[in-house]
Amino acid sequence: MRRHRPIHPLPLRIMHWLNVIAIVTLIGSGWEIYNASPILPFSFPQWAVIGEWLGGAIAWHFAAIWLLMLNGLAYLIWGTASGHFRRKLLPITPRAVFDDLLAALSLRLQHEEGVYNAVQRLLYWGVISLGILAVLSGLAVWKPVQLWYLSDLFGGFGFSRIVHFAAMSGICAFLLIHVLLVALVPRVLPAMIFGGRVPETTHAE
Amino acid sequence: MTSPLDRRALLSRGLILGAATMLSGCNYDDLQHPDMADRFLTGMSRWNDRVQAALFSEHRLAPTYPASAITRPPRFNAYYDIDQAPQVDPATWRLELTGRIADKRPWTLGQLRALPQESQITRFICVEGWRVVGQWSGVPLGQFLRRINADTKARYVSFQCADGYYESIDMPSALHPQTILALDFLGEPLTAPFGAPVRLRIPTKLGYKNPKSIVAMGVTNVFPSGYWVKQGYNWFGGS
Ligand code: HEM
């Protein structure tokens, strides 16, 4: 009897979509919090933010952060323990990234079912790092006294806010590219929702 | 107060509904009539209070700064304009004491000034994200609580203000060495916009936890909440 392996195992799919809920809530409420005291010469439009006012935005932010942290931690542990990171996100060499990027930009890059190309791998590692940076710098902004070592690490309260904002911006940039890539290769989306099937020819173990 | 079990049930129910109603925008706009999202958020906020209480250390000091770092001119902030700050007559002002305090005799300004004073140059961080550095001096709250024989095993210290504002803090934060009943700001007696005649200065908490123009202080085990907390700000408000 042959058993089909899904392209994306169930735990990954659950964690991915929970993460989307957390990230969207955090970014939307974070923009409203930013608006209370902007560090750049602009504010986010009211239609784009979550939380009717600062108090509501903070409440959403500090609720969603638990989802992000617990779900993110689960993902890191699962990804390491199950060998998912080793199999799907590694190896990653500058050479491969360069080749795949060139191929992608000239629209020659083929999507191989169940395999992330080197550019994707780089993007995923990038957003994982940005997520960790956002959590750490956020903790530094939240508790500059009790978590003073984190605050010091990011150069004090003011710089922690800048780092936190930069991490958010990076995640937004990832999100743009990520969703654009999904739009270009839409057949990867059902697989991320329903699991998909690994084609048997490529994985005839 | 709800029991832990109620709260847990509420939380899991809230989690599901919170996710569902999240983007509909109905949050903390009318806490007199809380909807499911409000209940979920309030539950999470109480949880965050507990996490902050666990993170808090009575030995960890807020950073102090040199006089050159003091923000000038100082920044006024309140929920009203600067000319509407309450005018309190220092001659007739009394600090009323209520709750779990053995010696409830009210205090005059002169009596407070006669106590040993502490000065600090610390950073004041607003929940909005801005910060200023200022110098405050006054009576360390922990010493004062012991002097009036307050029950320092009680959970909360509450404050009533001349402008109707009210706030409350946890006892460990009240006993922190940098928590003071400030009488002076920038080397001069407090002026009306900055909380005359007495304000709480607590550099381990956010700005809204530093009530101004205090007229009464209480020690209690009944959650006293606060002006902004009632509207949705987190109660612990630690830094
Ligand atoms: C509506 C928004 C999103 C959509 C439609 C979406 C869709 C997808 C899809 C289809 C994949 C699989 C790609 C493939 O098989 O080649 C994927 C993977 C991934 N996405 Fe998203 N995504 C979204 C938001 C996010 C966000 C906000 C993040 C993180 C901040 C994120 C992080 C990731 C990561 C890290 C992977 C790789 C997971 C792994 O295999 O370990 N995604 N996404």
Side-chain angles (χ1 to χ4, degrees), chain A residues 8-85:
Chain A
H8 300 298
L10 185 64
L12 177 69
R13 282 177 277 142
I14 293 173
M15 290 185 287
H16 179 269
W17 295 114
L18 283 179
N19 184 55
V20 173
I21 294 175
I23 291 273
V24 168
T25 309
L26 284 161
I27 291 176
S29 57
W31 287 358
E32 170 84 25
I33 297 170
Y34 165 95
N35 282 352
S37 174
I39 51 175
L40 292 169
F42 69 87
S43 295
F44 294 96
Q46 202 58 33
W47 59 260
V49 304
I50 292 177
E52 306 264 295
W53 66 294
L54 179 60
I58 291 174
W60 278 119
H61 209 68
F62 286 97
I65 190 58
W66 290 103
L67 180 58
L68 182 88
M69 288 200 304
L70 295 177
N71 189 57
L73 204 63
Y75 172 68
L76 291 179
I77 292 171
W78 174 86
T80 310
S82 70
H84 169 82
F85 287 157

Side-chain angles (χ1 to χ4, degrees), chain B residues 99-156:
Chain B
R100 304 177 68 86
I101 297 171
D103 182 356
K104 290 203 185 75
R105 278 175 298 177
W107 285 66
T108 67
L109 213 47
Q111 287 172 316
L112 285 179
R113 287 208 174 273
L115 297 177
Q117 311 278 305
E118 283 274 350
S119 179
Q120 59 174 253
I121 300 178
T122 48
R123 180 179 53 187
F124 180 106
I125 298 181
C126 180
V127 66
E128 293 173 352
W130 51 266
R131 66 211 182 275
V132 291
V133 173
Q135 183 196 24
W136 290 267
S137 58
V139 183
L141 182 59
Q143 289 176 25
F144 185 67
L145 287 169
R146 292 193 180 93
R147 185 177 293 268
I148 58 178
N149 272 314
D151 175 9
T152 53
K153 297 271 181 297
R155 297 178 67 182
Y156 311 108

Side-chain angles (χ1 to χ4, degrees), chain A residues 21 24-25 50 60, chain B residues 17-27 37:
Chain A
I21 294 175
V24 168
T25 309
I50 292 177
W60 278 119
Chain B
L17 272 138
T21 51
M22 179 167 55
L23 296 168
S24 63
C26 48
N27 32 75

Side-chain angles (χ1 to χ4, degrees), chain A residues 146, chain B residues 53-61 176 204:
Chain A
Q146 308 305 334
Chain B
L55 275 178
F56 177 82
S57 158
E58 52 211 288
H59 305 297
R60 209 166 290 132
L61 297 181
H176 186 275
T204 51

Side-chain angles (χ1 to χ4, degrees), chain B residues 30-98:
Chain B
D30 180 11
L31 270 186
Q32 301 305 309
H33 306 96
D35 57 22
M36 285 312 260
D38 294 335
R39 280 179 220 279
F40 162 68
L41 293 177
T42 304
M44 287 306 289
S45 194
R46 293 292 82 83
W47 161 250
N48 281 321
D49 286 339
R50 279 160 55 183
V51 173
Q52 292 176 85
L55 275 178
F56 177 82
S57 158
E58 52 211 288
H59 305 297
R60 209 166 290 132
L61 297 181
T64 55
Y65 297 82
S68 59
I70 292 173
T71 309
R72 293 183 198 275
R75 177 168 179 165
F76 167 78
N77 191 61
Y79 59 92
Y80 42 71
D81 287 337
I82 191 161
D83 52 2
Q84 276 156 6
Q87 301 291 330
V88 179
D89 179 3
T92 59
W93 177 89
R94 297 285 183 280
L95 178 64
E96 304 290 341
L97 301 176
T98 62

Side-chain angles (χ1 to χ4, degrees), chain A residues 136-185:
Chain A
L136 292 179
S137 57
L139 286 169
V141 175
W142 183 50
K143 289 284 163 281
V145 176
Q146 308 305 334
L147 304 179
W148 58 271
Y149 38 89
L150 273 182
S151 187
D152 281 2
L153 177 70
F154 292 111
F157 181 78
F159 278 110
S160 306
R161 272 197 72 186
I162 295 171
V163 173
H164 196 57
F165 188 90
M168 177 279 295
S169 308
I171 292 170
C172 287
F174 164 84
L175 195 56
L176 263 172
I177 300 171
H178 187 58
V179 173
L180 185 74
L181 289 178
V182 175
L184 286 175
V185 192

